[in-house]
Amino acid sequence: MNYETLYTFMLATMALSISPGPDNIYVLMQSLVNGKKHGLATTAGLMSGCLVHTSLLAFGVSMLIKESDTLFFGIKLLGAIYLFYLAYKVFKSSGSLSLTEGSVPKKGLWELFRQGFIMNVLNPKVAIFFLAFFPGFLFSDDMSTVVQFYVLGLVFMFVSFIVFSLIAVLSGSISSYFTSNPKMGIYLKWLQIIVFIGIAIYILVSDK
C-alpha cells in the first residue's frame, strides 16, 4: 500500500478545492446571501453527488483495468490530456472573480442540499474529471480497484468538504478580501494552471 500516493492525492484535492471554480464560488455566494448554514447545506449536497460519480467510476473503470493494461494506460493518457486542456482553458480566462450577490435567490437548507446534489450528479464535467483524476492515484497492488476508487472518492469528498465548509464559514472575510485585493484572482488562476499541469504530469509518470 503506497501511502505517499494517498498523501499526494490529498494535497492535489486540497489545491483543487481551494482554486476558484463553479462549485466553491457557488458555495461562497450561497453563504453570503443565505447564511453560513446554507453554505454548509450546499457543500453537503455537492459532496453527496460525488459518491454517485465515484460508484460509476469504481465499477466501470475497474472492469476496464482487468481487461487490458494498454486500455488502462489509454484512460490515463486521455485523463492527462483533459487536465492539460483544463489548464489551457484557465490560462485563456481573465482571472477576475465576480462576487455579485444580486443574482442569487434565497433558498432553504433542504432545497440547497438537493440543488447541490443534483448539480453535481447531472454535471458530465464532474464524471469526466473523476475519470481523468482518479486512475493515476491507485495506491495498492493487492487491494481491489473498486475499493481503492471508493477510498479515493471518500478522501476527495472529505478534503473537499473541509475546504468548502471553511469557505462557507469564512464567506464574509473571503469576499471582503477578494474585493480589496483584485490581484488575488490572478494568483489563484495560476494556482489552478499549476495544479492541473502537475496532476497531469503525475498521472502520466505513475505506474498502474
Side-chain angles (χ1 to χ4, degrees):
M1 189 164 173
N2 191 335
Y3 288 100
E4 185 178 335
T5 301
L6 273 178
Y7 297 147
T8 303
F9 180 81
M10 289 178 67
L11 289 173
T13 300
M14 186 178 298
L16 287 168
S17 300
I18 293 170
S19 303
D23 286 348
N24 51 18
I25 294 296
Y26 182 70
V27 169
L28 176 61
M29 296 313 302
Q30 293 298 342
S31 302
L32 287 171
V33 173
N34 295 293
K36 296 172 184 177
K37 288 183 180 180
H38 294 74
L40 292 173
T42 304
T43 298
L46 288 168
M47 293 307 105
S48 298
C50 289
L51 194 57
V52 175
H53 291 293
T54 299
S55 298
L56 293 173
L57 179 69
F59 290 102
V61 175
S62 293
M63 291 299 296
L64 294 177
I65 291 172
K66 290 178 183 177
E67 292 293 327
S68 168
D69 287 345
T70 304
L71 192 57
F72 180 58
F73 175 76
I75 292 171
K76 292 204 304 177
L77 181 61
L78 289 174
I81 292 171
Y82 179 68
L83 291 167
F84 281 127
Y85 167 71
L86 291 180
Y88 174 75
K89 280 189 67 177
V90 175
F91 174 74
K92 295 293 286 184
S93 67
S94 66
S96 60
L97 294 176
S98 177
L99 300 177
T100 55
E101 301 176 30
S103 59
V104 181
K106 288 185 175 293
K107 295 182 178 180
L109 291 172
W110 168 247
E111 190 177 1
L112 284 172
F113 174 87
R114 185 180 58 191
Q115 184 168 315
F117 178 81
I118 294 172
M119 269 178 58
N120 192 287
V121 170
L122 297 184
N123 187 351
K125 291 183 179 179
V126 177
I128 295 170
F129 180 76
F130 272 39
L131 180 61
F133 186 36
F134 281 32
F137 290 91
L138 294 176
F139 52 87
S140 175
D141 295 328
D142 303 318
M143 189 182 295
S144 162
T145 51
V146 171
V147 174
Q148 290 185 69
F149 278 127
Y150 270 108
V151 170
L152 293 175
L154 291 172
V155 169
F156 182 90
M157 291 166 62
F158 176 75
V159 173
S160 298
F161 183 82
I162 295 298
V163 174
F164 281 28
S165 296
L166 286 173
I167 290 173
V169 171
L170 301 174
S171 55
S173 300
I174 292 172
S175 178
S176 299
Y177 184 77
F178 280 123
T179 302
S180 58
N181 295 274
K183 287 187 177 180
M184 198 61 198
I186 300 297
Y187 298 145
L188 290 174
K189 169 183 172 177
W190 281 100
L191 171 63
Q192 277 187 294
I193 293 170
I194 292 169
V195 169
F196 282 139
I197 291 176
I199 294 173
I201 293 172
Y202 181 88
I203 287 172
L204 283 175
V205 301
S206 63
D207 296 323
K208 179 178 176 181

